[in-house]
Amino acid sequence: GGQFGFVFSATDRYAAGMAYRCVAAIESLVKIGGWSGPIYMMVGPKGRDCLDQAHLRKVTGSDNVHVVHEFYSVLRGMPTVYSELPRHFFPGSAKSVKGAMIDIVGLLHGEGINGTKASGPPPEVLIFHDCDKVVARTGCIEEMVRVPLPFGPEKRFYVSHMEPKCIRAKNGTGPCGNNLHAGVVAVHREWSLPIARAWALEQLRHGKRYDRHTLWEAWNNSRSPDGKTEWKMASLPPVYQDSMWNVELPPSCINHVSGGRCKDAGQKRARTFMRSLCLGARPHDKCPHDGSTEDWCGWDSPSRR
């Protein structure tokens, strides 16, 4: 199984018109970052035609890419763990993958999912990223995973940023959780499991809430009666973090190329950056939506080459 695996999720537009972003995230992780270990793509209801396992393996040259379709259905199939789920999910419910990925990957390596089974035991540690990221420094992922990521009683769960105090949303009138940033999450299949499951359930049941608020709820509810926190959470070491892409600076290892950064840089400079990575990322041929990384900042009508 190895120690690490990377997890991405593709729902809504990332499973359809912007599926090429998810292809690019995985392709750059392998071809530029130098990652040869397991990668898991969790796909929502829309993505079966656009994010195909055989296609992703062909694009990356890696047989270690695993695609799980209809992950909500997978979770509904675990009623002893994920009980009392709503009949319908909201777009924000997709963030539940960050907590549920331990169970989904464990099932894939165990009984298998929809007739597909991953060989060997699951990785000890899973690291989650969104699809709007690209790796841009040669070999940097190999370097990253050489840095220890210690788990144990004092560090059970890692997020991008964590301050152990309640900072409320809406100028102090909203829920706690603005002290957390969970863009990148690292979990251990044993040490992290209780809080991961609690967070996934909160997000599935309250899909309209931000995941940082549901994570605070799950973490805060883990406190013992004397007020001490039983499930310790920590900020990820800097080498495991992503960076907001800045067109004025040299690219970092993992670059978060968000819609806001696209707008700041403009389509022309964004395309120049994407072309410099020499990725061939495109969705599967059966996908009704065409597009490539050159169209990264175009939301609705990817151009055909």
Side-chain angles (χ1 to χ4, degrees):
Q3 188 180 3
F4 291 100
F6 283 85
V7 178
F8 298 85
S9 75
T11 57
D12 299 311
R13 62 190 178 195
Y14 285 100
M18 295 171 67
Y20 61 87
R21 286 195 178 190
C22 295
V23 183
I26 289 179
E27 185 185 359
S28 65
L29 185 74
V30 175
K31 291 185 176 177
I32 299 174
W35 179 243
S36 59
I39 301 168
Y40 306 91
M41 174 63 75
M42 309 296 178
V43 183
K46 295 180 181 178
R48 192 171 289 278
D49 289 337
C50 297
L51 293 164
D52 172 78
Q53 180 170 290
H55 175 67
L56 288 173
R57 289 182 172 189
K58 182 179 177 182
V59 168
T60 59
S62 171
D63 287 337
N64 235 337
V65 178
H66 307 277
V67 177
V68 175
H69 287 285
E70 305 276 3
F71 65 82
Y72 288 136
S73 298
V74 175
L75 296 179
R76 288 193 190 279
M78 302 181 192
T80 56
V81 179
Y82 298 101
S83 60
E84 299 176 33
L85 298 184
R87 290 183 64 187
H88 302 288
F89 293 114
F90 295 98
S93 306
K95 299 291 186 182
S96 61
V97 164
K98 298 181 184 183
M101 58 186 174
I102 301 174
D103 283 313
I104 298 173
V105 170
L107 183 64
L108 184 67
H109 283 265
E111 297 175 19
I113 296 173
N114 296 327
T116 301
K117 182 177 176 179
S119 61
E124 293 282 312
V125 175
L126 296 172
I127 301 172
F128 177 92
H129 283 279
D130 286 316
C131 276
D132 56 350
K133 300 178 187 180
V134 287
V135 177
R137 282 203 359 244
T138 303
C140 68
I141 300 297
E142 283 186 312
E143 296 170 15
M144 172 194 295
V145 297
R146 291 193 197 113
V147 177
L149 194 58
F151 282 89
E154 296 303 311
K155 291 183 178 178
R156 291 177 174 263
F157 198 93
Y158 286 93
V159 292
S160 300
H161 180 72
M162 160 69 185
E163 292 178 57
K165 58 184 177 182
C166 170
I167 299 178
R168 293 185 177 276
K170 299 180 181 178
N171 297 319
T173 62
C176 297
N178 278 21
N179 54 312
L180 301 173
H181 177 50
V184 187
V185 176
V187 294
H188 187 279
R189 63 176 173 166
E190 293 175 3
W191 288 111
S192 308
L193 190 57
I195 189 172
R197 283 178 170 173
W199 182 25
L201 264 175
E202 282 285 330
Q203 195 65 39
L204 288 164
R205 292 172 179 171
H206 307 285
K208 288 186 175 181
R209 297 182 68 187
Y210 286 113
D211 62 356
R212 59 183 178 271
H213 299 148
T214 54
L215 176 57
W216 172 273
E217 199 76 23
W219 177 75
N220 196 47
N221 287 343
S222 73
R223 295 186 182 213
S224 54
D226 62 6
K228 293 181 180 178
T229 302
E230 292 177 338
W231 303 340
K232 299 290 181 72
M233 191 154 45
S235 297
L236 278 162
V239 70
Y240 284 90
Q241 302 274 6
D242 59 356
S243 299
M244 294 303 291
W245 175 58
N246 186 333
V247 71
E248 306 293 345
L249 298 174
S252 59
C253 180
I254 302 174
N255 300 269
H256 187 182
V257 189
S258 65
R261 289 304 163 110
C262 279
K263 192 175 179 181
D264 290 345
Q267 178 74 281
K268 184 176 180 181
R269 292 199 289 181
R271 281 188 170 182
T272 299
F273 170 58
M274 287 298 166
R275 283 175 180 164
S276 74
L277 302 177
C278 300
L279 299 172
R282 283 178 170 275
H284 189 259
D285 289 343
K286 293 179 183 175
C287 183
H289 309 275
D290 194 23
S292 72
T293 51
E294 289 194 10
D295 308 300
W296 193 277
C297 295
W299 294 97
D300 299 312
S301 54
S303 61
R304 290 179 176 271
R305 278 193 300 200

